[in-house]
Amino acid sequence: MTDSTADHLVLVGLMGSGKSSVGRRVADALGRPFVDTDLVIERRVGRSIREIFADEGEESFRDMESAVLSEVLSASTASVIATGGGVVGRERNRDLLSAHRVVWLRATIDTLSTRLVSGRSRRPLLDGDVRRRLIDLDDQRRDHYHAVASVTVDVDDRSLDDVVREVLTVTESR
Ligand code: S3P
């Protein structure tokens, strides 16, 4: 972390791992602001992520995501930040993340597909065979999550309360 940036707590992991729900609860418990980079992008652009992907393509979304990540990480108020699952795709993002306390919410493909398969999601990258897509994304990203994270929390078969408690405990001393 550079001297000018706050000690943020950042959550990474695949879609459906619980970054937003866990992040909101952890932020409440710590009395810190909660920031969800996907929501920042949607509010700023005035369109959903699905619409951004459809209108401008994934690269354009990734540019916005990188810009927002850099901005929220350089904010001076220590916050809890939930990122989009694909944020680790770019090396520059990984470098920025590595300077903060990063928690990887790790889940098996079974857990994620059970959570994501029902209901049409706002997530364009899961169109089609959800399980297949998740397996591919997990292959591409697993090493990156591992590299940027200071802590890994397994979320399978656990309640939200339980995961929140572990995130608070494991990040306390770091
Ligand atoms: C994406 C994850 C989504 C969102 C976008 C792309 C990804 O965020 O950023 O649909 O590439 O994994 P969540 O991980 O919050 O669902």
Side-chain angles (χ1 to χ4, degrees):
M1 193 180 350
T2 62
D3 290 345
S4 56
T5 59
D7 182 18
H8 302 297
L9 176 55
V10 188
L11 299 171
V12 300
L14 282 175
M15 295 175 266
S17 56
K19 302 177 296 283
S20 301
S21 0
V22 172
R24 222 172 249 117
R25 294 276 303 275
V26 169
D28 278 354
L30 295 174
R32 292 185 183 197
F34 172 66
V35 182
D36 182 323
T37 57
D38 283 344
L39 288 182
V40 173
I41 295 168
E42 288 185 328
R43 285 191 189 131
R44 199 162 285 180
V45 181
R47 273 174 294 155
S48 68
I49 286 171
R50 176 170 285 284
E51 287 167 332
I52 299 170
F53 267 68
D55 297 346
E56 297 168 42
E58 179 171 352
E59 273 313 291
S60 176
F61 169 76
R62 297 298 171 198
D63 290 343
M64 297 176 203
E65 182 177 53
S66 297
V68 167
L69 179 74
S70 159
E71 185 184 312
V72 300
L73 288 179
S74 53
S76 55
T77 307
S79 306
V80 177
I81 300 166
T83 56
V87 76
V88 293
R90 289 191 175 177
E91 188 177 6
R92 167 80 184 138
N93 295 348
R94 295 197 296 273
D95 288 346
L96 290 175
L97 286 167
S98 299
H100 293 270
R101 281 184 305 165
V102 177
V103 178
W104 174 20
L105 297 184
R106 183 169 61 183
T108 60
I109 299 299
D110 279 348
T111 296
L112 297 174
S113 23
T114 305
R115 290 181 183 182
L116 293 167
V117 92
S118 56
R120 200 42 253 128
S121 95
R122 63 185 174 85
R123 298 166 169 107
L125 288 183
L126 292 184
D127 287 348
D129 182 341
V130 172
R131 192 181 173 83
R132 184 70 251 161
R133 296 293 298 131
L134 286 168
I135 290 170
D136 291 343
L137 293 171
D138 188 47
D139 282 349
Q140 292 160 24
R141 296 172 178 173
R142 170 168 288 268
D143 289 348
H144 293 324
Y145 293 138
H146 185 254
V148 298
S150 29
V151 175
T152 300
V153 172
D154 286 307
V155 303
D156 304 292
D157 303 319
R158 298 178 68 184
S159 68
L160 179 58
D161 277 353
D162 198 20
V163 173
V164 168
R165 248 193 316 271
E166 184 173 345
V167 170
L168 289 168
T169 307
V170 294
T171 54
E172 219 162 47
S173 54
R174 288 168 197 258

